[in-house]
Amino acid sequence: MRRLETLRREGVLRTLDHALALGLRRLDPQTTDEVVLAAALASLAVAAGHAGFRIDRPRDLVELDLDWPDPAQWQAALAASRWVACPAAGDAETPGDTPLVLEHGLLYLRRYREYERRLAAGLHRIGSGADEAEGIDALAPLFTRLFPQAAGGGDRQARAAAVALLHRLLLVTGGPGTGKTTTIARLLVLLAARAAAAGQPAPRIALAAPTGRAAERMAESLRRAAQLLAAEGIAPELLAPLATGGRTLHRLLGTIPDSPGFRHHAGNPLEVDVVVVDEASMIDLPLMAKLVEAVPDGARLVLLGDPDQLPSVEAGDVLSGILAAAGDGLHLSASDARALQPLLGEVEASATAPDEAAPFPARHVHLVRGWRQSAALDLAPLAAAVRTGDGAHALELLRDGRLDGVHYHPDAGELLQDPSRRDHFLAHWTALAEAPSPAAALALAGRMRILTAVREGAQGARGLNARIEALLAERLAQHQPRSRSDGFFHGRLLLVTENNYRHRLFNGDIGICLRDERGQLVAWFPGETADAPRAFHPATLPAHDSAFAMTVHKAQGSEFDEVWLVLPARDSRVLSRELVYTGLTRARDALHLCADPAILATALSRHVSRTSGLAWRLGAEG
């Protein structure tokens, strides 16, 4: 118990972690100290975003100079415990009803081992269907119109679409502006054309993302792609699938009030033929397991994401685990090369992609074409330096000042202290309160956002929001007396911080408070369409914060015309290259980075790593 008490005294363990460990000892006084310690760490690991922890590397989880147990002795103590299951290789469900599972050197809480096992089994099921080469020859003319540079296989967008015609499980990754949704738009057209040629109805498409804003952005991108393709003469009936609306994963699966389960699951799968999921890096282990189980047999699953972004806030780094096991779609097997020859021309087969079934039947294509974020923002060079952790080059680019739309503030200090900067912010926020309608206010809200690395502190989201609200209260009171009611006020931006299935409001949703024609404050949130927001009485809202400033984690899946990314004045463990990369790539037209050079360099030297068994469970080596 000495080690456990040290961890508690040092503030490492949560009350829940400590209580679980002590509970096992109370239920069975013979429970050894090694097992008690491991139980607390397995619980702590989930809170830290890991699926479990490696008993031979506890320092990956806890950075304390502790006298850790010898790994071999620790494994023996765990294997002998009544509280720990040790599944044999290839076991399906966890045997018995133990709270802990030791497998492949990882100690899991039982529930998270089961999520990981179920996810791996579901992905294998989706990807293991027979290759679908039938009808590909007839698609060649349309494919050439959609991908005029496809010959020879050098166009990665064309390669991704072609591979997806053969295989049911595809991952398309790349940074912002590399053409992920453009690729998917053309793939959906090809799938519709193949169905029409076979005399079948158009495929049923589901578009989803972890957040409502990300789902809406994907649907908007596909609608714009449909307009461009229509202008190029693509038949309207082939573009119909691109009109599908986007939904959050929770809405797609069908939330059940006051229940963690969903209406759609393995026993009641989704009635779809293709599921496209954007921002896959944000999806945690439990939610991805439930999604995959709800995908019906014979359907396609396409995951889009950027592996360099922050992983999910909750447990798991699912996208990285799947990518580690997926086959490279740029390296075709001989059979794939033959099947896709009508579309790609003669493509040399790869010796590293044998014809026999791969351990994990997924294909991955990474898009690398460097598009600018917009005509006004040249972010690609900075994003590349941040992604690779090259702090010296990143600072050189920032100080040079030659990147269009990128502004560096190394000595910004108090963000709101400078009068011109404060007036710039206030002009935007007061415009929200003066918008002609709730829909217009919500649209305007997406034009600018302050993003922070941390929640607390002077440069944290909570502190900034408090000062912003004070400034706005003074400004708005001059024009709207009695504008505040129980913390709510006309023009207040809201960020939901917990899921409320009954109201279909989810963690990360953004809304705004506005007075209605009777003078009553109403909280408005996006609805199924942009011009039909949903109204709520403020008192009925789930837990929420103000959203004038928000953390980078909460901003994932969103984009804003103008982003102010603020790093803290002192180092914090949350700072990493992934956090900086995610924050700066939220900007569409302008980026302002406020960071001390030393703090920025420290952040870029850190790489987020999550412990998981998903990759080896899917067949990855190592």
Side-chain angles (χ1 to χ4, degrees), residues 2 8 17 84 86 108 121 126 149 208 289 291 414 475 560:
R2 173 177 51 84
R8 184 191 62 80
D17 310 324
V84 183
C86 299
Y108 298 87
I126 293 170
Q149 307 298 320
L291 167 67
E414 168 54 60
R475 174 72 64 91
F560 310 97

Side-chain angles (χ1 to χ4, degrees), residues 285-314:
L285 177 59
L287 183 56
M288 185 68 89
K290 294 171 184 177
L291 167 67
V292 165
E293 288 184 329
V295 175
D297 292 343
R300 274 179 173 73
L301 175 61
V302 182
L303 300 177
L304 312 179
D306 186 346
D308 296 308
Q309 284 190 28
L310 283 166
S312 63
V313 175
E314 305 299 333

